[in-house]
């Protein structure tokens, strides 16, 4: 056999040896470690000339969601609705999603998560630092929205001014709530108290969405002919709130008013085809709404807000 020609027997012999060689190499490697479920910490899209970044400050499972949603319906009804949506009835995954909007002149943060560590780490992952935040808008005073305002070292956002609805602040100031008094009250003198229709910054307008709390406020974002609603907690679940807006929710302080607000704002979003950020919607928290039967259906964004 010449140097440049292989016999058929030699070729077959070499091929037969390859699988064995591969097995030897594979067996020498350690198995890749199990990493556990994971996701990104931020997602950035555009609305006109604005950059909108949702931040995953935290996510956690919660048992027995029927103890939170659908308080005015029986278990069979709740289970049937959940099964139709292919979601379990024994637990739900909660998401906590503050949003940062860069208008080009202001960096505006809506809500702050459960604690300073969560919001700071999510901001850092998105390329921001707390000292860059110009405005902190608090949609309402539940602990998972104001928890990141203050830490042991003081205010988390040292250069920010604060904005919230006066009706919301006044209502919580009259309550005996330790989280409010620890996190929000120390910032009262630095906080601008606003009402429905107030402008927070250019292109950002307050929209009353009461019921979940006394002064709960959503915010309409407008830039370059495009709109997006910072919806906060007027709807807390993509199936149990949108599909069944009259279902009572444990954390809604005025359940009748909250249901009226859900129908009003969901109807607006569906009719005007406006995308929204829902604080507790499935990550990354952005979606559209369509009318369906007596309720609505959630449609997660795909690439619409990337273009």
């Amino acid at each position: 056999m010449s140097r440049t020609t292989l016999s058929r027997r030699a070729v077959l012999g070499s091929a037969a040896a390859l699988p064995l060689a591969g097995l030897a190499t594979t067996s020498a490697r350690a198995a890749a470690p199990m990493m556990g479920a994971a996701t990104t910490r931020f997602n950035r899209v555009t609305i006109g000339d604005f950059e909108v970044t949702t931040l995953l400050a935290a996510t956690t499972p919660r048992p027995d969601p029927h103890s939170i949603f659908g308080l005015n319906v029986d278990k069979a009804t709740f289970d049937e609705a959940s099964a139709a949506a292919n979601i379990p009835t024994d637990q739900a995954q909660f998401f906590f999603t503050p949003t940062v909007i860069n208008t080009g002149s202001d960096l505006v943060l809506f809500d702050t998560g459960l604690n300073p560590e969560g919001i700071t780490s999510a901001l850092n992952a998105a390329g921001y630092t707390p000292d860059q935040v110009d405005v902190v808008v608090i949609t309402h005073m539940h602990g998972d929205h104001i928890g990141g305002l203050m830490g042991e070292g003081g205010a988390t956002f040292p250069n920010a001014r604060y904005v919230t609805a006066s009706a919301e602040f006044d209502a919580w100031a009259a309550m005996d709530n330790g989280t409010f008094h620890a996190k929000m009250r120390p910032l009262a003198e630095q906080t601008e108290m606003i009402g429905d229709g107030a402008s927070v910054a250019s292109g950002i307008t307050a929209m009353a969405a009461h019921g979940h709390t006394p002064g709960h406020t959503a915010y309409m974002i407008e830039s370059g002919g495009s709109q997006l609603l910072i919806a906060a907690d007027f709807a807390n679940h993509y199936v149990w709130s949108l599909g069944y807006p009259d279902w009572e929710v444990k954390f809604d302080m005025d359940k009748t008013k909250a249901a009226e607000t859900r129908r009003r704002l969901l109807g607006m979003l569906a009719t005007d085809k406006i995308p929204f950020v829902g604080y507790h919607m499935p990550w990354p928290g952005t979606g559209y709404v369509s009318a369906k039967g007596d309720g609505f259906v959630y449609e997660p964004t795909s690439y619409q807000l990337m273009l």
Side-chain angles (χ1 to χ4, degrees):
M1 182 173 64
S2 69
R3 293 187 179 186
T4 57
T5 304
L6 290 174
S7 70
R8 180 172 179 274
R9 181 177 298 173
V11 171
L12 292 174
S14 299
L18 287 175
L20 296 177
L23 285 174
T25 302
T26 302
S27 63
R29 292 198 206 106
M34 302 294 284
M35 304 296 288
T39 188
T40 58
R41 295 296 305 276
F42 77 96
N43 186 69
R44 184 172 292 124
V45 297
T46 57
I47 294 293
D49 297 324
F50 293 176
E51 288 186 345
V52 178
T53 305
T54 54
L55 304 169
L56 188 60
T59 181
T60 185
R62 291 284 179 90
D64 189 17
H66 189 208
S67 68
I68 300 173
F69 298 96
L71 301 185
N72 54 335
V73 300
D74 59 28
K75 185 177 186 303
T77 301
F78 181 84
D79 289 356
E80 181 181 0
S82 302
N86 295 312
I87 52 177
T89 59
D90 59 340
Q91 64 177 342
Q93 189 74 24
F94 275 35
F95 303 88
F96 304 86
T97 311
T99 300
V100 171
I101 294 182
N102 189 344
T103 70
S105 56
D106 291 298
L107 195 66
V108 184
L109 172 65
F110 292 84
D111 294 328
T112 67
L114 294 154
N115 50 58
E117 296 76 21
I119 186 60
T120 298
S121 62
L123 274 170
N124 290 342
Y128 304 120
T129 54
D131 63 317
Q132 291 178 301
V133 175
D134 298 299
V135 186
V136 176
V137 179
I138 299 300
T139 64
H140 64 292
M141 302 294 172
H142 278 155
D144 57 325
H145 293 256
I146 65 172
L149 280 172
M150 300 279 289
E152 293 182 0
T156 306
F157 310 99
N159 300 319
R161 62 183 176 92
Y162 301 86
V163 177
T164 198
S166 57
E168 181 73 0
F169 187 94
D170 292 346
W172 286 83
M175 301 180 201
D176 184 17
N177 183 275
T179 302
F180 171 84
H181 291 295
K183 301 285 187 173
M184 189 69 228
R185 186 177 278 284
L187 300 170
E189 292 185 3
Q190 301 162 252
T191 301
E192 179 185 0
M193 307 296 177
I194 64 169
D196 185 31
S199 176
V200 172
S202 178
I204 303 176
T205 305
M207 181 180 290
H210 302 170
H212 181 64
T213 59
H216 180 275
T217 303
Y219 290 84
M220 184 63 76
I221 312 303
E222 299 180 271
S223 175
S226 297
Q227 294 180 304
L228 174 140
L229 184 70
I230 302 294
D233 281 16
F234 87 82
N236 286 55
H237 192 273
Y238 77 109
V239 173
W240 301 317
S241 294
L242 272 68
Y244 308 92
D246 298 325
W247 280 12
E248 293 183 355
V249 180
K250 176 181 179 179
F251 301 117
D252 288 344
M253 296 173 72
D254 183 334
K255 293 176 173 50
T256 300
K257 184 66 175 178
E260 293 172 355
T261 294
R262 268 194 294 279
R263 285 203 171 273
R264 174 173 59 86
L265 292 185
L266 289 171
M268 179 197 72
L269 293 173
T271 299
D272 297 340
K273 300 186 184 304
I274 298 172
F276 76 106
V277 177
Y279 195 80
H280 298 294
M281 292 298 113
W283 176 252
T286 53
Y288 292 86
V289 175
S290 291
K292 183 179 180 181
D294 191 43
F296 301 85
V297 62
Y298 180 68
E299 299 171 352
T301 57
S302 55
Y303 54 76
Q304 301 99 319
L305 305 184
M306 298 175 66
L307 302 177

